[in-house]
Amino acid sequence: MIYWEQMNAKPVPTGPAKLLHLHWPLILLICAVCATGFLMLYSVAGGTLDTWAKPQMMRFGLGLAVLFIVAMIHIDFWKKIAPLAYLGGLGLLVAVEFVGVVGMGAQRWIDIGPLRLQPSEVMKVTLVMMLAAYYAWLPPEKVSRPLWVAVPLILTAMPVALVLKQPDLGTSILLLAGAGVVMFLAGVSWWYFSSATAVVGGTVWAVFQSRGTDWQLLNDYQYRRIDVFLDPTLDSMGAGYHITQATIAMGAGGISGRGFMQGTQSRLNFLPEKHTDFIFTSLAEQFGLIGGLTLLGLYTAIILFCLLSAFANKDRFGALMTGGLAATFFFFFAVNMAMVMGLAPVVGVPLPLVSYGGSAMLVLLGAFGLVQSAHVHRPRGAYG
Amino acid sequence: MARDKKDTSGAITRRGLVLMGAQLALVGTLAWRMRHLQIDEAERYRLLAEENRVNIRLLPPARGLIYDRDGTPVAVNRQNYRIVMIREQAGNPELVLARLARLIDISPERRERVLRDMYSRSAFVPVTVAEHMEWESFARVASNAPALPGVLPEVGLSRHYPANEVFAHVVGYVGPVSDYDLSQIEDPDPLLQIPDFQIGKNGIEKRAEPELRGSAGTSRIEVNAAGRVIRELDRTEGRSGEDLQLTIDSGLQDYTLRRMEGESSATVVMDVQTGELVALASAPSFDPNNFVFGISTGDWRALNEDEYRPLYNKAVSGVYPPGSTFKMVVALAALEEGLVDPGETVFCGGSIQIGNRRAHCWRRGGHGWMDLNDSLKHSCDIYYYDIAQRVGIDRISAMANRLGIGLRHDIPLPAVRAGLTPTREWKQQVHGQSWLVGDTVNSGIGQGFMLASPLELCVMTARLATGRAVIPKLIRSVNGVPQFAQEAEPIGLAENNLAHIRRAMFDVSNNRRGTAYRSRIADPAMAIAGKTGTSQVRRITEAERRTGVFRNEDLPWNRRDHALFVAYAPYEAPRYAIATIVEHGGGGSKAAAPIARDVMIRALYGPNPPLDAWPTAMHDEIRERRRLGVDSASVQRSRA
């Protein structure tokens, strides 16, 4: 068996040859999505590059460089420094509690010279790296043993708790989703997932059932907050306004859209946060269903390419990390789209690679650099 | 069996496929939702987006102007200098308002109200701080603009009545649309919803509202989410209101009103050929400009509680027993029916017995033998008690209607009220009683149920003068297009019968023994032909008659008789008809005829009638009146 495999295995490329082995279709897809972002930022700024598009492009350039550098570095190196990266991320999250700058009510960042670093963004990647490294190290037979399940849970709980404290519900969800997917792919027993679902479901059920009874679990104002969270229309001038205007923008776009720069909703400021969380509605207004589905298609293709790359990867760390990052990316855009389309509560998740934002762009491109590194340096099977 | 690396990588693939499936399902959901929003609901959301974006702003049209007969403006639009304030731009509204109060006079209440309005509305909505400002204070604010952020000096249009009280009852006035107005009128015009918009509340302003208002223009403006105007998308100009020219001569109108001053009275002057009303005055009057500014409760109460009822247009809404001015109607009815011969005489002994009641003549001692001419000249009642019984109430009422009494004349004033020409059916219906001979007798001298307005009496006189069914008119031209006054149709009365009546009316004024001899016009070419009337507003008891106590002067004002006078002139070639009533003025010959005569002279001769128009005996009095300025010719005007 081993002999056969060795015979058919292809050598891992070295040196500049690595460039040829990058997953170029994936890179092109990423560039396409980013380009869409530039177009949107140009449009919602009222036809100027300077406001948002240009800074975004510069970050993209920087991010692309980061992507290539990270991709060129051997995956084993990333596996080795994964715990360090994790600890670093966690340290930054703690640090941000003390020295962080609060903006937009929730997001927290640290200003390091010209760079504005948002540790919660970094954490999305380093947590996945950490868990992938953990499962690459952990003998497979121990994966579902309670003690060994508890370790990744604690590793996940710490950053999630810190991010929730900021408070940034959107990022917490993405952290949980990324970690959950890595554990799932690593083979943690179905039972754990079922039980977790049951416990969460049961708790929610209990919380709601207790409402208005003597043993009510939450305060009334907390229930009201949940109500508004679940149904933004209850808060007509707050979150409800956003969602209403967002759905109007989308619907007004129709099948083919109102044309580039013709979206009245976004141009006239009816759309809130039109350059960040709600940028998708601007796209949908201007380019309609066709534009929206195209972007959704690009995203889906990125996910599929990543997952296929993971399947072809014989390196457990590389495969798990690629799968985890792909899942994080998936939840990233899925939660944002569901949110702006009124399918999910507004939790404040930007549209990856499209929304205006520094850290997110850099970190995402860095993450794709890791995926590329895993792809380039993967131990190849016969058909890899 | 222990799993090796290959097995676990297989596990990753298996679970990865599950994950991929779940993700594709979610992507599918997203795509389905997009399809739903952008295809199924697209139309609805497109409309909502448009609503978001576009605000329609109404451009109020300029209200049509109203001119008098000669083109003198009587209702105009004046620039209304006002100050509005926008909270959003003011920064600190209290501070800015305090600064503003140092420049112009703003009462503390007003200031409080402005602040309340500003905070109760959106931050970008302008709130009016001061209106109808003097140019000086307006300019003071404008020149201090840099120190007053959010304060905008604006120029709008507001109605102004340069003739002040002279046209109040004809032109009426405008005022802001009230909730009551909205509940009363079915007018879908969106202009009514504009906070400062004014509509006609009275007079022609009210009746000709649709013509005067014009139609609103619209400006479609693009607004952003904050409601701020981004740009104008397009604009359709409205149509300004139509200009109306009245038949009223403002000089004559002014004179008429001043001549009636001090009395509660009304006078209507009509061109008998065309039916054009050249004067329509009700005294006392009021200044309609006070209503445009928003009348104070004190002023309003004063106007409302005044015994002389200044707000009431007595010329068209006041209906009174016509008294002896009605006798021509009865006489003409009798002549037309051939029931009386002009030369036939009736004996007046002061009273006659009718059934079980006694009917009296105004002259206690009686007039003796009276023919038609004498009966009108002396205004004998007995004669009319007699012939009224012969003619019967139905024919009397029919003749009254034919002459224009008891019918609502369609002139564009809101308060035109029809008099009353009773019939048997009417009494049965309204009072549930059968008609009595006494009712006919009463009607024969224009008392009892019989009612007529000064306008109707004027029409009656014009019809008697011309033999044509003259129809009163108040509008001469609309937007410069003349409203042709067609010559009236002949009324279908025998010319010789009319001649008897006219001759008698001539004698009333020009025969030494006529009741209005003192109110004649001296110039024979302009001779006036009239009829006096004195109508009771109370029943005279038998006891009073016996004691002879019914001197008007001894009664409280509101129980005195109404004084009436109707006339036309010149006798030979009638040009104007006039009807004057002085409420509780006592005798028609004493209170009403002199007013009517003076107004008639003013109408015939223009602003400066020669002294010769009056009888020589009156010249000194006229000179004195002119010296005192009572008869001055100028129209009183407020500064434009």
Side-chain angles (χ1 to χ4, degrees):
Chain A
M1 280 291 271
I2 290 165
Y3 171 76
W4 184 87
E5 194 174 65
Q6 279 171 344
M7 286 293 289
N8 290 285
K10 290 175 184 164
V12 172
T14 52
K18 286 178 180 178
L19 280 174
L20 289 173
H21 290 266
L22 283 174
H23 199 315
W24 283 104
L26 187 58
I27 291 173
L28 288 178
L29 281 173
I30 290 165
C31 289
V33 170
C34 289
T36 311
F38 305 149
L39 205 63
M40 284 302 108
L41 289 173
Y42 172 78
S43 139
V44 294
T48 56
L49 286 171
D50 294 348
T51 322
W52 291 313
K54 210 186 222 169
Q56 185 84 345
M57 284 167 160
M58 282 157 65
R59 279 190 215 110
F60 171 73
L62 187 66
L64 209 57
V66 169
L67 186 150
F68 283 113
I69 293 164
V70 171
M72 290 303 102
I73 294 168
H74 200 280
I75 191 67
D76 287 347
F77 169 78
W78 296 118
K79 184 160 82 174
K80 252 177 258 165
I81 70 151
L84 271 176
Y86 173 81
L87 286 174
L90 209 57
L92 283 174
L93 271 180
V94 175
V96 92
E97 283 296 318
F98 299 104
V99 298
V101 184
V102 179
M104 311 289 286
Q107 290 164 348
R108 294 191 177 208
W109 63 78
I110 298 170
D111 281 320
I112 307 168
L115 219 89
R116 175 162 286 188
L117 195 69
Q118 211 171 308
S120 59
E121 293 287 339
V122 178
M123 202 66 225
K124 285 176 202 160
V125 179
T126 52
L127 177 63
V128 169
M129 280 173 78
M130 178 68 229
L131 294 184
Y134 170 78
Y135 282 110
W137 163 82
L138 189 71
E141 62 272 17
K142 294 183 178 171
V143 162
S144 289
R145 294 203 185 144
L147 188 65
W148 298 107
V149 171
V151 173
L153 286 182
I154 292 163
L155 288 175
T156 309
M158 285 191 293
V160 166
L162 284 168
V163 169
L164 263 181
K165 200 171 169 289
Q166 288 191 356
D168 185 348
L169 188 59
T171 303
S172 312
I173 290 170
L174 296 185
L175 286 174
L176 277 174
V181 165
V182 175
M183 291 173 76
F184 176 74
L185 290 178
V188 173
S189 170
W190 286 94
W191 286 110
Y192 289 99
F193 293 99
S194 323
S195 321
T197 312
V199 166
V200 171
T203 308
V204 171
W205 180 84
V207 164
F208 278 95
Q209 281 301 303
S210 73
R211 189 174 191 177
T213 65
D214 291 341
W215 50 282
Q216 185 167 303
L217 292 169
L218 297 177
N219 286 321
D220 281 336
Y221 76 89
Q222 286 168 315
Y223 279 109
R224 273 196 298 281
R225 250 185 232 173
I226 293 172
D227 287 340
V228 172
F229 177 75
L230 294 175
D231 182 5
T233 55
L234 292 176
D235 181 15
S236 58
M237 282 324 285
Y241 175 81
H242 293 192
I243 281 303
T244 311
Q245 296 298 342
T247 43
I248 289 175
M250 292 207 54
I255 296 174
S256 55
R258 317 188 102 193
F260 184 52
M261 305 276 294
Q262 299 300 310
T264 55
Q265 283 289 102
S266 41
R267 194 159 48 76
L268 299 172
N269 287 331
F270 286 103
L271 275 177
E273 297 171 51
K274 58 183 180 179
H275 63 295
T276 56
D277 293 3
F278 282 83
I279 198 161
F280 182 70
T281 55
S282 189
L283 172 97
E285 189 186 20
Q286 295 178 53
F287 300 113
L289 184 62
I290 294 168
L293 286 180
T294 306
L295 186 65
L296 189 62
L298 289 175
Y299 278 135
T300 312
I302 289 174
I303 302 298
L304 291 181
F305 279 154
C306 286
L307 285 177
L308 289 175
S309 165
F311 298 161
N313 202 332
K314 303 253 171 256
D315 178 44
R316 194 165 161 77
F317 172 73
L320 285 176
M321 188 192 66
T322 302
L325 289 177
T328 306
F329 187 74
F330 171 81
F331 283 112
F332 220 130
F333 77 76
V335 169
N336 176 277
M337 285 190 185
M339 174 178 100
V340 300
M341 290 182 214
L343 287 177
V346 178
V347 288
V349 173
L351 190 62
L353 301 180
V354 176
S355 286
Y356 182 80
S359 311
M361 179 71 125
L362 278 175
V363 169
L364 276 169
L365 290 175
F368 281 113
L370 289 172
V371 169
Q372 291 287 350
S373 172
H375 184 79
V376 173
H377 303 100
R378 71 190 187 279
R380 286 157 165 77
Y383 309 101
Chain B
M1 156 189 138
R3 293 176 179 191
D4 62 16
K5 271 200 164 186
K6 197 182 171 200
D7 280 333
T8 48
S9 117
I12 290 174
T13 308
R14 276 197 306 279
R15 290 207 169 190
L17 285 170
V18 171
L19 186 70
M20 198 191 275
Q23 289 177 346
L24 286 176
L26 261 167
V27 166
T29 309
L30 291 174
W32 168 84
R33 173 72 176 167
M34 258 190 249
R35 195 203 69 88
H36 172 73
L37 286 176
Q38 304 196 288
I39 294 177
D40 302 346
E41 304 265 291
E43 205 46 51
R44 201 180 119 225
Y45 285 121
R46 215 189 299 274
L47 279 173
L48 287 172
E50 194 68 8
E51 259 171 45
N52 258 344
R53 178 175 79 105
V54 177
N55 263 1
I56 293 183
R57 216 163 257 198
L58 288 176
L59 306 169
R63 196 171 175 84
L65 306 181
I66 304 176
Y67 300 98
D68 90 329
R69 184 176 189 84
D70 303 316
T72 309
V74 294
V76 297
N77 299 320
R78 207 155 60 152
Q79 284 187 322
N80 171 16
Y81 297 107
R82 61 177 178 207
I83 302 289
V84 299
M85 213 172 138
I86 299 171
R87 170 157 61 95
E88 189 183 47
Q89 294 168 11
N92 182 346
E94 286 90 346
L95 184 77
V96 175
L97 209 55
R99 262 188 231 158
L100 195 59
R102 261 180 268 151
L103 293 170
I104 56 171
D105 186 32
I106 311 172
S107 67
E109 299 86 55
R110 177 93 196 153
R111 230 193 289 183
E112 219 164 89
R113 205 204 144 108
V114 167
L115 280 175
R116 209 172 45 235
D117 284 358
M118 257 190 293
Y119 283 110
S120 62
R121 300 181 199 172
S122 298
F124 53 84
V125 171
V127 171
T128 307
V129 180
E131 272 195 287
H132 308 291
M133 299 173 71
E134 298 293 328
W135 166 250
E136 288 74 27
S137 8
F138 183 75
R140 210 168 328 136
V141 174
S143 58
N144 281 289
L148 300 165
V151 171
L152 296 178
E154 271 189 0
V155 185
L157 288 179
S158 77
R159 204 63 156 170
H160 177 65
Y161 302 101
N164 295 19
E165 78 280 359
V166 176
F167 277 87
H169 291 114
V170 177
V171 168
Y173 49 85
V174 297
V177 187
S178 66
D179 293 341
Y180 176 78
D181 294 332
L182 288 175
S183 71
Q184 287 298 300
I185 48 179
E186 251 177 63
D187 191 341
D189 196 331
L191 276 172
L192 299 187
Q193 309 292 338
I194 296 181
D196 288 341
F197 195 73
Q198 295 192 316
I199 57 166
K201 294 280 191 169
N202 212 335
I204 286 178
E205 293 273 33
K206 183 176 184 180
R207 269 298 297 275
E209 175 64 30
E211 292 83 6
L212 288 168
R213 187 190 299 163
S215 58
T218 50
S219 160
R220 291 202 318 138
I221 47 173
E222 191 171 84
V223 294
N224 71 5
R228 210 164 301 138
V229 178
I230 303 297
R231 66 189 163 126
E232 188 171 63
L233 298 172
D234 54 52
R235 164 191 276 259
T236 36
E237 292 300 336
R239 185 173 47 76
S240 29
E242 292 171 344
D243 294 342
L244 301 183
Q245 188 178 16
L246 305 180
T247 58
I248 305 282
D249 178 322
S250 55
L252 184 67
Q253 174 83 358
D254 176 50
Y255 177 81
T256 307
L257 197 61
R258 281 187 296 123
R259 185 64 186 80
M260 293 192 296
E261 212 161 68
E263 304 279 7
S264 176
S265 54
T267 294
V268 179
V269 184
M270 181 189 238
D271 182 317
V272 297
Q273 300 302 330
T274 57
E276 291 180 335
L277 298 165
V278 289
L280 190 101
S282 177
S285 188
F286 60 92
D287 189 347
N289 289 309
N290 292 341
F291 285 82
V292 179
F293 284 69
I295 193 162
S296 70
T297 27
D299 288 353
W300 172 252
R301 198 178 306 133
L303 283 173
N304 247 329
E305 288 173 2
D306 191 328
E307 211 177 11
Y308 284 13
R309 292 180 299 171
L311 294 174
Y312 192 60
N313 187 353
K314 300 177 190 100
V316 298
S317 341
V319 290
Y320 309 90
S324 301
T325 60
F326 192 69
K327 283 174 179 162
M328 282 88 81
V329 176
V330 182
L332 200 53
L335 287 173
E336 282 290 309
E337 296 296 331
L339 295 169
V340 71
D341 184 86
E344 185 187 336
T345 55
V346 170
F347 183 75
C348 169
S351 67
I352 55 166
Q353 192 72 28
I354 297 159
N356 57 359
R357 283 191 51 209
R358 183 152 279 275
H360 298 266
C361 183
W362 64 270
R363 186 168 181 174
R364 292 179 76 205
H367 289 96
W369 290 100
M370 297 266 104
D371 66 3
L372 178 77
N373 192 283
D374 291 333
S375 73
L376 278 171
K377 190 160 65 191
H378 299 297
S379 201
C380 173
D381 291 336
I382 303 297
Y383 183 89
Y384 289 92
Y385 293 152
D386 186 3
I387 64 167
Q389 288 181 73
R390 297 191 215 169
V391 180
I393 189 61
D394 295 330
R395 285 197 285 240
I396 291 174
S397 286
M399 180 56 73
N401 291 157
R402 240 171 130 181
L403 291 169
I405 294 173
L407 303 170
R408 196 176 179 285
H409 292 291
D410 187 28
I411 60 170
L413 291 179
V416 177
R417 208 175 133 194
L420 176 63
T421 48
T423 58
R424 294 164 200 283
E425 294 78 44
W426 170 84
K427 192 182 177 193
Q428 193 63 53
Q429 231 169 9
V430 175
H431 291 274
Q433 290 164 358
S434 52
W435 189 263
L436 304 173
V437 179
D439 295 328
T440 309
V441 167
N442 261 339
S443 302
I445 58 162
Q447 294 281 160
F449 300 114
M450 201 64 72
L451 292 172
S453 69
L455 174 69
E456 288 170 343
L457 292 177
C458 190
V459 171
M460 172 193 82
T461 312
R463 290 184 179 184
L464 289 173
T466 58
R468 291 174 183 276
V470 185
I471 293 163
K473 290 195 173 61
L474 199 51
I475 305 292
R476 199 154 196 236
S477 70
V478 176
N479 256 2
V481 181
Q483 306 294 294
F484 287 108
Q486 281 177 326
E487 205 189 357
E489 296 291 317
I491 205 164
L493 296 173
E495 193 55 35
N496 61 327
N497 288 342
L498 281 168
H500 287 300
I501 303 290
R502 289 176 194 150
R503 180 68 209 178
M505 288 173 77
F506 176 80
D507 287 343
V508 166
S509 289
N510 298 287
N511 186 293
R512 196 167 291 278
R513 300 183 62 203
T515 51
Y517 180 66
R518 277 177 303 170
S519 300
R520 69 192 180 279
I521 293 177
D523 182 355
M526 295 293 182
I528 196 167
K531 180 72 195 79
T532 55
T534 304
S535 70
Q536 288 166 17
V537 290
R538 70 207 168 92
R539 183 173 287 275
I540 298 168
T541 63
E542 286 297 320
E544 274 180 314
R545 282 196 196 282
R546 275 195 299 276
T547 53
V549 183
F550 62 105
R551 275 159 47 91
N552 263 293
E553 291 72 15
D554 300 335
L555 294 166
W557 176 76
N558 62 5
R559 297 196 62 204
R560 291 178 202 166
D561 297 338
H562 293 316
L564 297 105
F565 188 68
V566 300
Y568 67 89
Y571 172 65
E572 300 289 352
R575 273 178 62 199
Y576 297 111
I578 189 168
T580 294
I581 179 165
V582 179
E583 283 189 339
H584 311 297
S589 59
K590 240 168 74 188
I595 294 175
R597 185 261 327 271
D598 288 347
V599 171
M600 186 61 94
I601 288 175
R602 172 65 178 72
L604 291 170
Y605 291 93
N608 292 299
L611 214 51
D612 294 346
W614 283 272
T616 326
M618 283 189 72
H619 288 187
D620 287 343
E621 185 197 330
I622 301 299
R623 280 195 203 96
E624 180 64 9
R625 258 173 26 194
R626 287 188 176 172
R627 201 179 61 78
L628 293 171
V630 179
D631 275 8
S632 66
S634 68
V635 179
Q636 204 179 314
R637 296 238 174 78
S638 66
R639 80 206 137 60

